[in-house]
Amino acid sequence: MSGQHPRDGIREACESFLDAYGSRDLDRLRGLMSHREDLVVLGTHRDLRFTGWTAFEAALADQFAAMGRMAVRTSGFEASLLAGGRAACAALTVDCDGTVSGNPVRAEGLRITLTLEVRDGTWRIVQLHWSVPQDGSLLRPEECDAPGGGEDPDDIADAFAAYEELARRVTESVNRRRFDFSRDIAPLVAGDFVEIVNGVPYGPDAVRQTFAPLVEAVGGGAAFSWTVALESGRVLTDGTVLLITTARVVLSGRGRPRVDDRYRITNVLRRSPTGQWVFVHQHRSELAESAADVDPADNTGPERAASWARRTGW
C-alpha cells in the first residue's frame, strides 16, 4: 500500500476479489478475505449467510465445482474511508455471465457492498453483502454457523440501542402525525450516506422521499410500525461499528390490505465527536417472507413507499 492512494488500494482489492471469484481461484480468495470468525458474508435469501472463512470457503468450493468460468464486469464503484483510513466500505455494481451445471447464467446489476480493514499492511475483506436479481442467487443456500461477536460489546450495544431508539421515535412521530425528517432522522445520517435497497443506491434526499407516502397513509387512517433486531455486530475500529440487523415495517388499518415487509440490513455506523452514532452506509435486501400487494417493479426505495400508497389504496 506504500505510495498508493487508499481508494486505489480498496478498488484493487475489490476487483481482485471479483476476478478471483469469476476464475474460481480459491487460493487468491484466501489471500483477500479475513480468516477470522469475524468474517460475515450475506446474500439476498435468508439461508445465504456464512460466518467465518471456513464456512464460506466450503460454500465456494461446492459452487465452483458446478460453475464454469464467470465473466465479471464492474460498472460502478464507490468507496468511503473509515476510522482514519484503517477501514473502508465499498459499493460496486456488477454484471456476470457464465455457466452453472452446463447451463448459461446471466446476472445484471448485482450490487455488492464490502467492508475492508487494513491488516498487516494489506486490505482484507471482513464483510460482504450482495443483492441479486429477483429470479435467484448465484450462491446455493447452505446452513450457516451462528453469528460471531465483536471486539467491544459495549460499542455494539450502544450503536444498536441508537438504531432501536430511531425506529421507536420515528414510529411514534409518524403515528402522531408529527414526523419531521430534519429532526427525526437527518441528524443520524452522515452527509455522504449511501443506502443500497434491492440493488439500487440512494442518498439522504432519496431516503427523505421514502417517508412522504407513509406519512400520507397514516393521515388516511393507517397505522405504521418499524422494529429492528440485531443478528450480529463487530467493531471495525474505535468509533466505527458494523451491525447486521433485520427490520420489519408494517402498514395496516381496518378495511385495507396489510403491508408487512421484512429486511436483512448491513449497517456501518460512526460515532460523531458529540458521541452520537450516525449511519454511514446501509445495504438492505428484502426477505422472502415479506407480504404485500405490491408490484416487484416498485420494490425499491421511494418507489416502494409510493407503491404502498398507490396499490393498497392508502
Side-chain angles (χ1 to χ4, degrees), residues 8-29:
D8 293 336
I10 297 164
R11 180 162 195 151
E12 182 179 304
C14 293
E15 292 183 346
S16 293
F17 167 80
L18 294 174
D19 184 67
Y21 175 82
S23 58
R24 300 166 296 171
D25 190 338
L26 271 177
D27 287 337
R28 285 179 63 197
L29 289 170

Side-chain angles (χ1 to χ4, degrees), residues 16 50 66 72 88 103-104 112 115 138 145 149 154 159 173 177 180 201 203 230 246 274-275:
S16 293
F50 306 92
V72 183
N103 299 310
I112 302 178
T115 304
L138 296 177
D145 296 340
D154 290 340
S173 65
R177 306 180 190 181
D180 182 340
L230 180 65
T246 56
T274 64

Side-chain angles (χ1 to χ4, degrees), residues 17 25-41 50-61 64 125 145:
F17 167 80
D25 190 338
L26 271 177
D27 287 337
R28 285 179 63 197
L29 289 170
R30 288 188 190 98
L32 294 165
M33 311 288 290
S34 168
H35 286 209
R36 303 176 187 173
E37 285 302 304
D38 58 11
L39 174 67
V40 178
V41 178
F50 306 92
T51 302
W53 168 250
T54 300
F56 187 47
E57 181 183 35
L60 287 173
F64 289 169
I125 298 167
D145 296 340

Side-chain angles (χ1 to χ4, degrees), residues 74-178:
T74 303
S75 57
F77 175 82
E78 301 171 59
S80 299
L81 291 172
L82 306 169
R86 299 188 303 277
C89 184
L92 299 88
T93 306
V94 173
D95 298 330
C96 297
D97 286 283
T99 60
V100 175
S101 298
N103 299 310
V105 171
R106 169 173 288 182
E108 297 180 343
L110 280 73
R111 289 282 176 172
I112 302 178
T113 297
L114 303 98
T115 304
L116 306 94
E117 289 182 352
V118 177
R119 294 184 177 174
D120 299 323
T122 302
W123 287 108
R124 303 290 184 194
I125 298 167
V126 299
Q127 189 268 345
L128 171 67
H129 184 165
W130 52 34
S131 294
V132 302
Q134 294 292 323
D135 58 356
S137 170
L138 296 177
L139 267 179
R140 293 173 55 187
E142 300 285 349
E143 290 297 320
C144 307
D145 296 340
E151 294 92 335
D152 190 337
D154 290 340
D155 268 2
I156 292 168
D158 289 348
F160 180 68
Y163 194 0
E164 278 190 308
E165 173 59 21
L166 170 66
R168 185 202 65 77
R169 186 173 65 248
V170 169
T171 296
E172 180 178 337
S173 65
V174 169
N175 285 319
R176 291 186 175 184
R177 306 180 190 181
R178 298 176 182 173

Side-chain angles (χ1 to χ4, degrees), residues 243-264:
L243 304 180
I244 308 299
T245 62
T246 56
R248 184 176 185 181
V249 177
V250 178
L251 192 65
S252 61
R254 183 177 299 175
R256 305 294 182 106
R258 177 184 174 89
V259 174
D260 189 347
D261 284 355
R262 306 184 191 198
Y263 304 91
R264 173 171 284 128

Side-chain angles (χ1 to χ4, degrees), residues 191-205:
D192 57 353
F193 172 81
V194 174
E195 179 183 27
I196 295 176
V197 184
N198 290 333
V200 180
Y202 294 97
D205 288 343

